[in-house]
Amino acid sequence: MTPLDESPPNDTPTCSAKGCRDAASWVLAWNNPKLHTPERRKTWLACEEHREHLSQFLGVRGFLKDVVRLEEWVQPEGSERI
């Protein structure tokens, strides 16, 4: 975790893990097949520390579709960050 006085600037994407304020390095693309069309992607962002935990959370539910480095992510039309 980043100490409060060392938080990333406001324009830096931050990790989606509860309580984490670290800069995001990863995009976790997912969808819930019971709610979303197959091509729709929602995204969570993850820091290095939380990438595996968030991936497992989505994976065991069958929601995880892709994990991509943030700088390589191209947001598909209809995607949204949650």
Side-chain angles (χ1 to χ4, degrees), residues 23-35:
S25 303
W26 297 92
V27 175
L28 286 66
W30 64 277
N31 82 4
N32 180 338
K34 292 182 180 179
L35 302 175

Side-chain angles (χ1 to χ4, degrees), residues 31-57:
N31 82 4
N32 180 338
K34 292 182 180 179
L35 302 175
H36 308 125
T37 59
E39 66 278 352
R40 183 163 181 204
R41 294 293 180 267
K42 297 181 84 77
T43 58
W44 283 354
L45 302 179
C47 64
E48 291 294 334
E49 180 181 350
H50 292 111
R51 180 187 60 84
E52 187 62 33
H53 171 75
L54 293 173
S55 294
Q56 286 180 357
F57 179 88

